[in-house]
């Protein structure tokens, strides 16, 4: 399929068309296996809570300095144990099962010359569900891809450093992404999704992917996650 990743053709019109495409994709009625419909809430809880705890332990074990961070810049933040206690895991477990992608950011979306969309690189499963997943995770994946402009990351257009108990981050998503973020937030509210829930899951996504990366990028991801969670809890 010939086309561009959506990040190369990002504008408000393409983004709204993409969201309308996603809405149809999520609402596609398929004959899902019965066992994937069972215990969906408990699967969501395990996916969000257990995986997050495991990933955070992995991050801190490799980077013990992260556990000591108490400030983002000069802003006081909650430490990770306090954040985890404050999260309403029961609310996160109230997932909405849909036809699911699982890694829905701009680098995994193709748009062709006719402005038709194609999805790439699906997540292999949602807690051993291979057809169904939580729509809130897809929404949060879109949001995480807006907060982190991957083109800037590829070009190392960010800086971060830890000084004692403070994490300093120098990164800007860019004006186009800020406009798209505001549009997305409005779209979420208009379509009667819980914006706060999307933001919390987005924060968890950042914390979950931080230990999978090397170098200073993991500090940027950690900082983004902690900031979102501190702001929205």
């Amino acid at each position: 399929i010939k086309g561009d990743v959506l990040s190369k053709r990002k504008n408000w019109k393409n983004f709204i068309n993409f969201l309308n495409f996603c809405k149809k994709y999520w609402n596609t009625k398929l004959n899902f296996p019965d066992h994937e419909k069972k215990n969906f809430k408990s699967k969501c809880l395990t996916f969000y809570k257990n995986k997050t705890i495991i990933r955070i332990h992995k991050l801190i074990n490799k980077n013990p300095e992260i556990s000591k961070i108490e400030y983002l810049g000069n802003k006081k933040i909650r430490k990770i144990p306090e954040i985890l206690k404050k999260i309403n895991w029961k609310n996160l477990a109230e997932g909405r099962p849909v036809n699911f992608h699982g890694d829905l950011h701009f680098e995994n979306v193709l748009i062709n010359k006719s402005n038709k969309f194609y999805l790439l690189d699906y997540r292999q499963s949602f807690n051993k569900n291979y057809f169904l997943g939580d729509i809130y995770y897809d929404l949060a994946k879109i949001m995480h891809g807006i907060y982190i402009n991957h083109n800037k990351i590829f070009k190392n257009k960010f800086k971060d450093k830890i000084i004692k108990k403070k994490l300093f981050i120098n990164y800007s998503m860019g004006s186009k992404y800020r406009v798209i973020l505001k549009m997305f937030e409005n779209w979420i509210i208009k379509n009667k999704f819980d914006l706060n829930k999307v933001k919390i899951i987005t924060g968890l996504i950042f914390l979950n992917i931080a230990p999978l990366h090397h170098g200073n990028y993991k500090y940027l991801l950690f900082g983004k996650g902690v900031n979102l969670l501190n702001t929205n809890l």
Side-chain angles (χ1 to χ4, degrees), residues 184-198:
F184 187 41
E185 291 177 347
N186 290 336
W187 185 91
I188 288 170
I189 294 169
K190 182 180 178 181
N191 284 272
K192 299 181 179 180
F193 294 108
D194 185 338
L195 177 59
N196 183 257
K197 184 174 179 178
V198 175

Side-chain angles (χ1 to χ4, degrees), residues 48-49 51-60 63 66 69 72 77-85 87 89 137 141 144 148 167 199-213 217-230 233:
Y48 291 125
K49 185 176 182 179
K51 184 164 72 75
T52 296
I53 292 171
I54 291 169
R55 290 284 180 85
I56 287 174
H57 282 313
K58 182 178 180 180
L59 177 66
I60 291 175
N63 310 275
I66 284 178
I69 294 173
L72 281 179
I77 59 171
R78 301 182 186 95
K79 286 190 172 183
I80 288 294
E82 186 180 351
I83 288 174
L84 295 178
K85 286 181 181 179
I87 292 173
W89 297 106
Y137 191 73
K141 270 290 183 175
H144 118 276
I148 294 292
L167 172 60
K199 288 185 176 182
I200 289 171
I201 295 176
T202 304
L204 293 179
I205 286 172
F206 283 126
L207 293 184
N208 273 269
I209 61 179
L212 306 181
H213 292 274
Y217 185 39
K218 63 178 175 286
Y219 297 124
L220 173 61
L221 294 170
F222 174 81
K224 283 289 182 182
V226 168
N227 188 49
L228 270 172
L229 293 168
N230 269 269
L233 286 174

Side-chain angles (χ1 to χ4, degrees), residues 139-154:
L139 291 168
K141 270 290 183 175
I142 294 173
M143 183 170 282
H144 118 276
I146 299 172
Y147 273 113
I148 294 292
N149 180 340
H150 287 87
N151 289 324
K152 287 193 172 188
I153 302 304
F154 295 150

Side-chain angles (χ1 to χ4, degrees), residues 27-193:
N27 291 327
T28 300
K29 292 184 178 180
L30 302 176
N31 293 320
F32 298 117
D34 289 338
H35 69 271
E36 295 211 352
K37 300 176 185 177
K38 293 179 181 178
N39 304 315
F40 190 73
K41 288 183 181 179
S42 64
K43 290 180 179 180
C44 287
L45 180 62
T46 302
F47 183 80
Y48 291 125
K49 185 176 182 179
N50 295 16
K51 184 164 72 75
T52 296
I53 292 171
I54 291 169
R55 290 284 180 85
I56 287 174
H57 282 313
K58 182 178 180 180
L59 177 66
I60 291 175
N61 285 340
K62 289 186 176 180
N63 310 275
E65 69 278 8
I66 284 178
S67 65
K68 300 175 184 177
I69 294 173
E70 296 181 7
Y71 294 84
L72 281 179
N74 293 313
K75 177 184 174 183
K76 179 76 172 177
I77 59 171
R78 301 182 186 95
K79 286 190 172 183
I80 288 294
E82 186 180 351
I83 288 174
L84 295 178
K85 286 181 181 179
K86 201 167 179 63
I87 292 173
N88 185 346
W89 297 106
K90 184 178 180 180
N91 181 47
L92 296 192
E94 296 287 339
R96 189 186 301 182
V98 294
N99 191 37
F100 179 72
H101 183 276
D103 199 11
L104 200 53
H105 59 78
F106 294 165
E107 307 303 319
N108 285 341
V109 181
L110 278 183
I111 179 171
N112 69 7
K113 289 183 179 180
S114 301
N115 294 323
K116 187 175 180 180
F117 297 100
Y118 298 88
L119 302 182
L120 310 172
D121 198 17
Y122 293 75
R123 184 183 184 88
Q124 64 184 18
S125 73
F126 182 83
N127 197 7
K128 298 183 180 180
N129 272 7
Y130 296 94
F131 298 92
L132 285 173
D134 183 13
I135 193 171
Y136 275 95
Y137 191 73
D138 268 356
L139 291 168
K141 270 290 183 175
I142 294 173
M143 183 170 282
H144 118 276
I146 299 172
Y147 273 113
I148 294 292
N149 180 340
H150 287 87
N151 289 324
K152 287 193 172 188
I153 302 304
F154 295 150
K155 297 175 182 178
N156 289 315
K157 291 186 176 180
F158 70 94
K159 293 181 180 179
D160 49 45
K161 60 182 177 179
I162 297 176
I163 301 177
K164 295 183 179 180
K165 297 181 179 181
K166 294 184 177 182
L167 172 60
F168 294 91
I169 294 174
N170 185 353
Y171 168 80
S172 172
M173 68 170 67
S175 58
K176 284 187 177 180
Y177 277 79
R178 282 193 291 271
V179 170
I180 287 173
L181 177 62
K182 187 62 179 176
M183 290 175 61
F184 187 41
E185 291 177 347
N186 290 336
W187 185 91
I188 288 170
I189 294 169
K190 182 180 178 181
N191 284 272
K192 299 181 179 180
F193 294 108

